[in-house]
Amino acid sequence: MKISILILTILLISCKNQNTLPDPLEAGWNNEAVCEVVEDNDNLRVLKCTFAPNVGHEKHYHNPHFGFTLAGSKFRIKDTTGTREVNVPTGYSFSNAEISTHEVLNIGDSTAVFLIMEYK
């Protein structure tokens, strides 16, 4: 019985998210928040994230999520694949079924706004 409890405890600890990075709501830019909660319930958390020109999002993680671009701009994105510059158009959607990490900077000349829907 003691071995079963020990194994169960180890499994629970190892399955817990060990990410030391902030999540998108906790992360900001120059100590300023860039995301706000639009909805938070048992199944979903929806964030609205706004990036004026030259404003970014410090390195952070995302749980599995779906995103939609309300207003686009040009971004410099740094993630596990490297650094790239991307034009993100208004109306663009994206998703990731796994936990991911990145940092971004709006290098365009317009304010970008995203809705990020995180599954719980």
Side-chain angles (χ1 to χ4, degrees):
M1 181 69 168
K2 289 182 181 181
I3 292 176
S4 296
I5 292 172
L6 178 61
I7 292 172
L8 181 60
T9 302
I10 291 170
L11 285 173
L12 288 173
I13 290 170
S14 66
C15 290
K16 185 179 177 186
N17 182 0
Q18 298 292 320
N19 207 322
T20 60
L21 294 173
D23 77 1
L25 184 60
E26 297 166 333
W29 187 253
N30 294 330
N31 297 315
E32 296 289 329
V34 294
C35 296
E36 61 184 284
V37 176
V38 176
E39 175 71 28
D40 194 354
N41 60 49
D42 291 340
N43 301 313
L44 187 69
R45 180 173 78 165
V46 180
L47 303 175
K48 179 180 175 186
C49 303
T50 304
F51 304 95
N54 298 309
V55 170
H57 210 180
E58 69 186 355
K59 190 173 183 179
H60 60 282
Y61 78 92
H62 283 275
N63 286 321
H65 64 281
F66 172 84
F68 183 79
T69 309
L70 297 172
S73 192
K74 185 174 183 178
F75 281 84
R76 181 174 300 123
I77 302 170
K78 183 177 181 181
D79 61 18
T80 58
T81 66
T83 303
R84 62 194 179 284
E85 293 182 1
V86 178
N87 285 310
V88 182
T90 298
Y92 178 76
S93 63
F94 50 93
S95 63
N96 196 327
E98 299 177 1
I99 294 174
S100 58
T101 62
H102 66 202
E103 60 186 281
V104 300
L105 175 64
N106 182 351
I107 60 173
D109 57 6
S110 59
T111 297
V113 182
F114 299 90
L115 285 180
I116 307 292
M117 290 141 268
E118 298 177 320
Y119 313 112
K120 292 186 177 179

